[in-house]
């Protein structure tokens, strides 16, 4: 079971491939605020809803100084299909080894349909310009989550 992050923690560094196989790192975003969200699987209903919500609100979030990065255990090829099929504009990163998911506390035991399973915990971590955790939200819902973040951040 991975440790959950708390506000004030240093956000774990990462460099992962995007949907095109290009390396993307959190360090390259220093000086910007970053919303890093973790989702179980591309091309599934809940994850599609969430990615589309982030895409629909990307201009608003970017205007407020936020970059948005979605991370799942999918391979880059599947992320590319997801991006094309849903016309997504958010940066999608592949973490098939689940190392970043674990570092952020977004992989572990969860309850699904009344059963305990081990998997990706739908989570969102807001990282400030200095690389510190501003907010860490776990077991979030796919629907309505982006609107809640926007409201909570006062955007």
């Amino acid at each position: 079971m991975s440790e959950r992050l708390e506000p004030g923690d240093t956000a774990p560094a990462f460099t992962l491939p995007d949907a095109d196989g290009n390396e993307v790192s959190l360090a390259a975003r220093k000086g910007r605020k970053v919303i890093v969200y973790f989702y179980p699987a591309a091309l599934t209903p809940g994850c599609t809803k969430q990615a589309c919500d982030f895409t629909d609100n990307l201009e608003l979030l970017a205007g407020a100084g936020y970059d948005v990065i979605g991370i799942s255990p999918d391979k880059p090829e599947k992320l590319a299909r997801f991006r094309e099929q849903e016309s997504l504009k958010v940066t999608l990163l592949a973490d098939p080894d689940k190392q970043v998911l674990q570092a952020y506390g977004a992989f572990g035991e969860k309850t699904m349909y009344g059963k305990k399973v081990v998997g990706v915990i739908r989570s969102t971590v807001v990282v400030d310009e200095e690389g510190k955790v501003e907010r860490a939200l776990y077991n979030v819902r796919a629907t309505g989550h982006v609107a809640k973040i926007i409201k909570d951040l006062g955007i």
Side-chain angles (χ1 to χ4, degrees):
M1 189 72 163
S2 42
E3 288 289 312
R4 292 190 169 184
L5 297 175
E6 298 285 338
D9 289 348
T10 297
F14 62 79
T15 300
L16 293 170
D18 68 9
D20 300 313
N22 302 314
E23 298 284 305
V24 174
S25 71
L26 182 61
R29 299 283 202 291
K30 194 153 178 82
R32 300 246 334 137
K33 296 179 267 193
V34 185
I35 296 170
V36 184
Y37 77 96
F38 299 91
Y39 62 100
L43 301 166
T44 58
C47 298
T48 298
K49 172 79 178 117
Q50 188 177 21
C52 288
D53 279 355
F54 271 118
T55 292
D56 292 346
N57 288 285
L58 202 55
E59 274 187 43
L60 177 69
L61 291 165
Y66 290 90
D67 291 343
V68 178
I69 297 174
I71 299 177
S72 74
D74 298 305
K75 295 198 171 355
E77 305 77 34
K78 186 173 181 188
L79 296 179
R81 282 197 317 274
F82 188 33
R83 180 186 63 200
E84 303 312 316
Q85 188 173 316
E86 301 298 335
S87 303
L88 300 174
K89 301 280 186 261
V90 294
T91 300
L92 300 174
L93 303 183
D95 185 20
D97 298 335
K98 302 176 186 76
Q99 289 180 323
V100 175
L101 285 156
Q102 290 175 347
Y104 276 77
F107 189 84
E109 192 175 275
K110 63 183 183 174
T111 303
M112 205 164 135
Y113 306 114
K115 290 189 165 61
K116 293 249 185 248
V117 296
V118 174
V120 176
I121 299 163
R122 192 181 302 277
S123 311
T124 301
V125 176
V126 179
V127 181
D128 71 13
E129 301 91 336
E130 302 302 314
K132 297 276 189 210
V133 174
E134 190 178 306
R135 293 167 191 269
L137 310 163
Y138 294 94
N139 296 310
V140 301
R141 296 199 169 280
T143 305
H145 179 59
V146 175
K148 182 181 178 345
I149 290 173
I150 289 168
K151 182 174 180 273
D152 289 352
L153 294 175
I155 299 172

